[in-house]
Amino acid sequence: MPNTPIDLHTHSAVSDGTETPTQLIRSAARAGLGTVAITDHDSTAGWQEAIAAASVSGINVIPGMELSTNYGPASVHVLAYLFDPLNRTIVTETARIRDGRLRRAERIVEKISQDYDLTWDDVLAESSDGTTLGRPHIADALVRKGHVVNRSAAFESILHWQGGYYEKYYAPSPLEGVKMIVAAGGVPVLAHPAAHGKYRQLTGSVIKSLADEGLFGLEVNHRDNSPEGREFLLELCAKYGLEATGASDYHGVGKPNQLAENTTEPEVLDKIIARATGSKPFFAAA
Ligand code: AMP
Ligand code: FE
Ligand code: FE
Ligand code: ZN
């Protein structure tokens, strides 16, 4: 039985979290977590450092990722646990997504710079080499330049998808994403599927088609899912034999989400571990 409490969705500075993987693990230990998954966007670059830090902090780590996919106009996130990080499709596809994100961020900055004092170098200064770039890094640059007070304010104005500067980036479909994760020995879980009315697009029949390809579960307990959305997701879990997970989606100081604010039952994590064949969880010595 894995150590509890269990938080299966967190970000480090490998993507848009504000803490290094080492700092993230220390924060997880301080928050009293027994098990934490590191799930950076489209990257496994934080796994090794997180595991090294966990052996010092004495907590368990589930290596994971949050894969970007596109479903029509909607960006759909698929959490992936315990897949083979060297799987060829995963390696090439995540590299393509990260590259697409980089060029998309340049296009957004190009547009913003026509109205605000902001340069591409300002954004690069908010990330390091190899970071999965996203709007949060542009937000940080806007904060540093004094255009907005924090990331949330940036997302509510300049970086809002209807704010006039939004650009899309390449990502596979959710179905392709699920297939790719399963083929790499991993376990896919749909992230915050009822956030911002998304469940209106991700209908029951879409989720059934993902379940038919090996989707394991739905992240039901996430702060962005509405109460009605959670009810709907629980019905889908019962109908299609999916498991319900819960997690914080912690981003350090980049978002209000706090570690352990939502958690996953140990029985559910046991099933994830039993199903996965791509890589092993890290268990700290008891
Ligand atoms: P992107 O993937 O570049 O389109 O940016 C979306 C990312 O920004 C998501 O992964 C969120 O974690 C983050 N994000 C979305 N809304 C907010 C917010 N209000 N404050 C901080 N970060 C946010
Ligand atoms: Fe994020
Ligand atoms: Fe997400
Ligand atoms: Zn996330």
Side-chain angles (χ1 to χ4, degrees):
M1 199 60 96
N3 292 342
T4 55
I6 300 162
D7 190 336
L8 293 183
H9 185 169
T10 71
H11 296 265
S12 78
V14 161
S15 62
D16 55 2
T18 59
E19 299 174 340
T20 64
T22 301
Q23 291 166 334
L24 168 66
I25 296 301
R26 286 189 192 140
S27 297
R30 256 200 315 275
L33 286 170
T35 304
V36 66
I38 177 170
T39 55
D40 277 305
H41 297 284
D42 310 307
S43 176
T44 62
W47 287 14
Q48 275 195 331
E49 186 185 321
I51 288 169
S55 70
V56 177
S57 292
I59 67 171
N60 301 334
V61 172
I62 306 297
M65 180 171 80
E66 187 174 16
L67 180 71
S68 303
T69 73
N70 283 333
Y71 186 68
S75 172
V76 170
H77 291 171
V78 185
L79 291 161
Y81 300 110
L82 298 168
F83 55 93
D84 174 4
L86 301 179
N87 175 274
R88 283 186 69 121
T89 310
I90 295 273
V91 168
T92 49
E93 196 67 3
T94 52
R96 187 176 171 197
I97 297 170
R98 290 195 307 272
D99 182 57
R101 279 173 159 284
L102 178 77
R103 288 181 289 108
R104 169 259 201 165
E106 281 185 297
R107 291 198 301 276
I108 294 178
V109 170
E110 171 65 31
K111 279 189 179 174
I112 295 176
S113 69
Q114 292 169 19
D115 297 329
Y116 295 86
D117 171 27
L118 184 76
T119 66
W120 181 237
D121 279 345
D122 295 334
V123 175
L124 289 183
E126 302 300 334
S127 66
S128 11
D129 232 17
T131 304
T132 304
L133 270 186
R135 281 179 287 163
H137 304 98
I138 304 174
D140 291 346
L142 288 168
V143 172
R144 203 173 294 274
K145 280 282 167 108
H147 301 307
V148 289
V149 293
N150 57 29
R151 278 189 183 183
S152 294
F155 272 88
E156 280 156 26
S157 57
I158 303 171
L159 296 176
H160 192 275
W161 69 277
Q162 290 170 312
Y165 305 103
Y166 189 78
E167 291 278 325
K168 283 181 67 79
Y169 59 93
Y170 165 79
S173 72
L175 198 63
E176 288 168 330
V178 165
K179 284 184 184 173
M180 176 190 322
I181 293 160
V182 170
V187 181
V189 171
L190 215 45
H192 43 71
H196 317 302
K198 230 173 231 163
Y199 64 102
R200 281 182 244 279
Q201 279 152 2
L202 282 176
T203 57
S205 68
V206 174
I207 289 176
K208 181 185 186 305
S209 68
L210 300 180
D212 289 343
E213 291 299 333
L215 182 70
F216 171 83
L218 304 177
E219 190 183 45
V220 175
N221 292 316
H222 182 290
R223 66 155 68 203
D224 291 352
N225 292 332
S226 64
E228 321 83 74
R230 291 182 203 204
E231 290 296 316
F232 173 67
L233 295 176
L234 286 174
E235 281 169 30
L236 292 179
C237 284
K239 211 159 151 187
Y240 303 129
L242 297 167
E243 299 290 338
T245 68
S248 66
D249 204 357
Y250 177 73
H251 281 69
V253 296
K255 269 186 148 179
N257 310 36
Q258 292 302 310
L259 286 162
E261 68 176 28
N262 282 297
T263 57
T264 295
E265 293 303 320
E267 293 77 12
V268 172
L269 177 56
D270 274 340
K271 288 184 194 173
I272 291 176
I273 293 169
R275 185 183 290 205
T277 56
S279 54
K280 298 235 172 303
F282 171 79
F283 290 121

